[in-house]
C-alpha cells in the first residue's frame, strides 16, 4: 500500500524563513514516518501567488496536493498541519479534507502545536531551553498571531501556565487577538526590568515578526522603546527549535481518523 504524508503550513514568502523554519519541521515529521512519501502544501493562496509571480516557484494548495497524492495511488494518508492552534485555518483544512476522504483508503489528521495539556508543558520547556528565562533579568515578550476564533484562548492559557511555572518575566501578546500589546505593556510596568526581549510565537519569522514586531516604526519594538525599554529582537520562528519540532513529530503518532 502506497503511503503519503501531507504537511500543511500557512506559508511564507521569505525564502530564508522557509529554509530555517518550515523545512526543519517537515524533515522532523518525515523522519518520524519512514516509508511515507512527503508532500508540501501552503494554506495561504496569497503567498502561493506571490511565490509564483515573484520567484517562479509553484507550491500546491491543499486541494492540489491531495489530488496529486490520489492520482499517484496513495492509499494511506496522514495530514499534519504546522499551525500553532486549532483556528480558522485548521477548520478550513478539515473541510477540504472531507471532500477527498473517498479517494483514500485511510486518512488521518494530526493536531496543531497546542492541542492537549502536555503540548503546553513541552512548548514551555522547549522555549526555556532556548531562552533560559529563569537566569535572565530581562522581560520576554512573545508575539502570537491571534485570531477571532475561540481557539485564541490558547494564548492567555499558555501565558497563565508559563507564569504558574515561575517564569514571571515571560508574557504573551498577539497581533490579531487577545492579549494585545497594550495588555502586555501594562503587565511589564509591574516589573522592575528595563530590558525586553521580543520573539515570535509563530512557526515562521515572517511579515508579522519582521514588521509588526521588529519594525522601526509602528511596531511592538518601537512602542516598548517609547516606554523606555532597551529592546532586543530575536527573529527566530518556532520551527528553528528542536523541542518544538519534536511536538509536531509526536502529533503524527496521535493523528486521528
Amino acid at each position: 500500500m502506497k503511503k503519503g504524508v501531507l504537511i500543511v503550513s500557512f506559508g511564507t514568502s521569505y525564502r530564508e524563513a522557509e529554509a530555517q523554519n518550515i523545512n526543519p519541521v517537515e524533515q522532523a515529521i518525515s523522519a518520524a514516518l519512514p516509508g511515507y512519501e512527503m508532500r508540501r502544501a501552503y494554506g495561504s493562496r496569497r503567498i502561493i501567488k506571490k511565490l509564483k509571480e515573484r520567484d517562479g516557484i509553484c507550491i500546491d494548495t491543499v486541494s492540489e496536493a491531495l489530488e496529486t497524492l490520489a492520482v499517484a495511488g496513495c492509499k494511506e494518508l496522514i495530514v499534519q498541519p504546522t499551525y500553532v492552534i486549532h483556528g480558522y485555518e485548521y477548520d478550513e483544512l478539515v473541510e477540504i479534507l472531507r471532500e477527498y476522504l473517498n479517494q483514500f483508503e485511510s486518512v488521518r489528521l494530526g493536531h496543531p502545536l497546542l492541542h492537549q495539556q502536555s503540548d503546553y508543558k513541552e512548548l514551555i520547556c522547549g522555549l526555556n531551553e532556548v531562552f533560559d528565562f529563569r537566569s535572565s533579568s530581562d522581560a520576554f515578550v512573545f508575539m502570537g498571531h491571534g485570531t477571532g476564533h475561540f481557539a485564541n484562548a490558547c494564548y492567555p492559557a499558555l501565558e497563565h501556565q508559563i507564569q504558574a511555572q515561575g517564569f514571571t518575566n515571560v508574557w504573551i501578546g498577539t497581533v490579531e487577538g487577545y492579549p494585545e500589546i497594550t495588555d502586555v505593556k501594562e503587565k511589564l510596568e509591574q516589573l522592575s526590568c528595563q530590558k525586553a526581549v521580543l520573539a515570535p510565537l509563530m512557526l515562521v519569522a515572517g511579515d508579522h515578526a519582521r514588521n509588526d514586531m521588529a519594525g522601526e516604526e509602528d511596531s511592538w519594538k518601537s512602542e516598548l522603546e517609547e516606554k523606555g525599554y532597551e529592546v532586543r529582537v530575536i527573529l527566530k520562528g518556532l520551527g528553528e527549535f528542536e523541542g518544538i519540532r519534536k511536538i509536531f513529530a509526536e502529533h503524527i503518532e496521535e493523528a486521528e481518523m
Side-chain angles (χ1 to χ4, degrees):
M1 178 185 294
K2 190 170 184 179
K3 299 183 290 187
V5 56
L6 174 60
I7 303 175
V8 181
S9 301
F10 180 80
T12 180
S13 60
Y14 291 91
R15 303 304 307 284
E16 66 274 22
E18 173 195 310
Q20 295 166 356
N21 302 147
I22 294 178
N23 290 356
V25 174
E26 291 178 338
Q27 291 163 7
I29 293 171
S30 293
L33 290 170
Y36 281 72
E37 176 187 337
M38 191 204 86
R39 288 202 69 86
R40 165 191 291 176
Y42 279 179
S44 172
R45 291 182 176 273
R46 177 182 59 82
I47 290 175
I48 290 172
K49 182 174 183 288
K50 183 174 183 178
L51 286 171
K52 185 174 183 179
E53 293 177 349
R54 186 191 68 189
D55 304 325
I57 295 173
C58 295
I59 304 290
D60 284 345
T61 64
V62 175
S63 295
E64 288 169 344
L66 290 169
E67 290 279 4
T68 300
L69 284 162
V71 169
C74 176
K75 301 299 182 184
E76 180 180 324
L77 176 65
I78 298 177
V79 180
Q80 178 59 53
T82 63
Y83 302 145
V84 175
I85 63 173
H86 288 270
Y88 290 119
E89 289 82 5
Y90 185 85
D91 289 348
E92 181 181 4
L93 173 60
V94 171
E95 290 302 312
I96 294 172
L97 194 55
R98 282 176 178 157
E99 299 175 8
Y100 290 86
L101 291 179
N102 62 356
Q103 298 194 35
F104 304 92
E105 292 182 9
S106 170
V107 178
R108 289 188 290 154
L109 177 61
H111 294 288
L113 184 66
L114 293 176
H115 168 61
Q116 56 195 4
Q117 182 58 36
S118 60
D119 296 335
Y120 289 81
K121 293 179 179 178
E122 284 193 61
L123 174 57
I124 294 168
C125 180
L127 292 176
N128 187 46
E129 286 178 357
V130 175
F131 295 95
D132 195 11
F133 302 130
R134 207 181 301 278
S135 67
S136 176
S137 59
D138 297 347
F140 291 85
V141 178
F142 288 90
M143 172 190 271
H145 188 281
T147 174
H149 194 282
F150 63 81
N152 187 84
C154 290
Y155 295 107
L158 176 63
E159 181 181 90
H160 175 78
Q161 293 186 51
I162 289 175
Q163 296 276 318
Q165 289 196 23
F167 303 132
T168 55
N169 57 333
V170 183
W171 305 98
I172 308 294
T174 66
V175 186
E176 299 180 9
Y178 173 84
E180 299 177 352
I181 183 59
T182 52
D183 301 300
V184 173
K185 286 191 293 185
E186 290 176 3
K187 294 169 183 175
L188 288 181
E189 290 177 1
Q190 304 169 14
L191 304 176
S192 58
C193 62
Q194 296 301 314
K195 298 180 180 180
V197 177
L198 285 177
L201 189 73
M202 305 175 187
L203 182 79
V204 168
D207 273 332
H208 284 306
R210 295 163 191 255
N211 299 314
D212 297 314
M213 187 185 81
E216 292 304 317
E217 297 180 356
D218 297 323
S219 67
W220 287 22
K221 177 177 179 286
S222 63
E223 287 194 43
L224 290 177
E225 287 176 338
E226 288 175 5
K227 286 287 187 178
Y229 292 97
E230 180 182 330
V231 180
R232 177 164 60 98
V233 171
I234 298 178
L235 279 175
K236 290 188 176 184
L238 296 176
E240 294 195 43
F241 305 142
E242 183 178 358
I244 280 67
R245 297 195 296 268
K246 179 173 174 283
I247 299 173
F248 283 115
E250 289 171 350
H251 283 190
I252 281 290
E253 300 176 5
E254 302 159 357
E256 300 173 343
M257 295 291 286

